[in-house]
Amino acid sequence: MFITFEGIEGSGKSTQAKLLHEWFLDAGYEVVLTREPGGTPAAEELREFILSEREENFPEMAELMLYMAARSFHVQNLIKPALASGAIVISDRFSDATLAYQGYGRELPIEEIEHLNQLATGGLSPDITFLIDIPVEIGFSRIKRRKQDRIEKENFEFHEKVRKGYLEIAKRYPERIVIIDGRKRTVEIFSEIHQIVERRLKNGI
Ligand code: TMP
């Protein structure tokens, strides 16, 4: 089973991914918690490169390609082998993030990104994706105290486009993407998520 978490900055998705990981561990499952960009040594190096401030202009196309390169390392060297060994994989962000951020946020062509995602993942798609949705104002107020990376520093309008983009993507893949109201309390959100996962496990996904 391959599960991904998506959402704008400050949505609480990483907290939920960690809670689900702990729940699987406690229940005795073999489970891997990973993230994008990142997850393998090379992909983590790319993460550092992509998210840090540069002196020269960072072309949007370069950003897109680097996310794809990191995804290719991640899929080939971590996700596919883990799934093949029978483990459950939970990833904090995956392909939908590129559609939302580079597609809807940066306004790069969606269809081309879908094609690149297809190439970078070899066609691997999550079994279930939890989109933790919150208004941008709430996300911003949650992250303002932490050190922000190059993408987090983008303005309100950018993040509004990303949020709307995620909701569009969810409409396109309703059988895979579950929208969760991220304004609720952490425990309530987790209870919703874990019930959905348990149901899917019982029904063999
Ligand atoms: P994180 O803060 O959730 O770890 O994600 C790192 C940043 O990278 C976040 O601002 C979203 C951004 N991102 C993209 O713009 N495109 C992508 O494909 C991915 C995976 C992340």
Side-chain angles (χ1 to χ4, degrees):
M1 195 180 208
F2 179 30
I3 303 170
T4 59
F5 282 84
E6 300 283 357
I8 61 165
E9 331 288 333
S11 62
K13 66 180 171 47
S14 306
T15 304
Q16 294 299 329
K18 280 187 204 128
L19 288 171
L20 188 62
H21 179 237
E22 278 163 26
W23 180 78
F24 274 126
L25 284 178
D26 289 346
Y29 286 93
E30 206 180 306
V31 56
V32 176
L33 174 62
T34 184
R35 67 173 180 181
E36 283 213 356
T40 78
E44 287 291 334
E45 275 186 46
L46 288 170
R47 177 188 178 94
E48 178 63 33
F49 185 93
I50 300 167
L51 297 179
S52 56
E53 293 292 343
R54 320 248 120 227
E55 304 225 326
E56 69 184 83
N57 167 45
F58 204 130
E60 291 170 346
M61 205 47 80
E63 183 182 279
L64 172 65
M65 299 301 179
L66 286 163
Y67 277 116
M68 291 298 171
R71 181 157 305 133
S72 177
F73 277 108
H74 192 209
V75 169
Q76 290 301 323
N77 299 344
L78 189 147
I79 301 178
K80 279 194 175 164
L83 291 172
S85 78
I88 290 166
V89 175
I90 302 172
S91 187
D92 184 346
R93 296 196 190 281
F94 194 60
S95 306
D96 296 321
T98 321
L99 284 171
Y101 281 81
Q102 281 64 49
Y104 289 90
R106 302 268 191 242
E107 298 182 10
L108 296 179
I110 302 286
E111 275 178 25
E112 314 260 12
I113 296 177
E114 281 187 324
H115 187 213
L116 288 171
N117 266 337
Q118 186 75 15
L119 293 174
T121 62
L124 179 71
S125 168
D127 295 300
I128 183 158
T129 297
F130 292 104
L131 169 59
I132 317 288
D133 178 56
I134 47 157
V136 178
E137 308 85 59
I138 299 182
F140 265 33
S141 72
R142 287 183 185 169
I143 66 164
K144 70 173 180 256
R145 259 170 271 115
R146 71 181 189 216
K147 190 172 174 286
Q148 292 176 14
D149 64 44
R150 204 174 55 79
I151 312 265
E152 283 170 339
K153 280 186 189 152
E154 287 291 336
N155 63 21
F156 188 92
E157 196 199 349
F158 174 82
H159 290 282
E160 194 65 49
K161 284 193 280 183
V162 173
R163 181 190 182 202
K164 288 203 179 116
Y166 267 131
L167 292 169
E168 279 292 315
I169 300 164
K171 250 192 246 159
R172 214 157 356 119
Y173 302 102
E175 66 300 331
R176 172 172 66 83
I177 305 181
V178 181
I179 304 173
I180 304 273
D181 183 351
R183 291 170 302 183
K184 293 185 187 160
R185 291 185 13 244
T186 305
V187 284
E188 280 178 71
I189 296 174
F190 183 63
S191 151
E192 248 177 78
I193 290 174
H194 128 253
Q195 276 174 36
I196 293 168
V197 169
E198 269 203 318
R199 212 179 308 133
R200 294 276 185 119
L201 281 172
K202 239 184 247 152
N203 300 338
I205 298 170

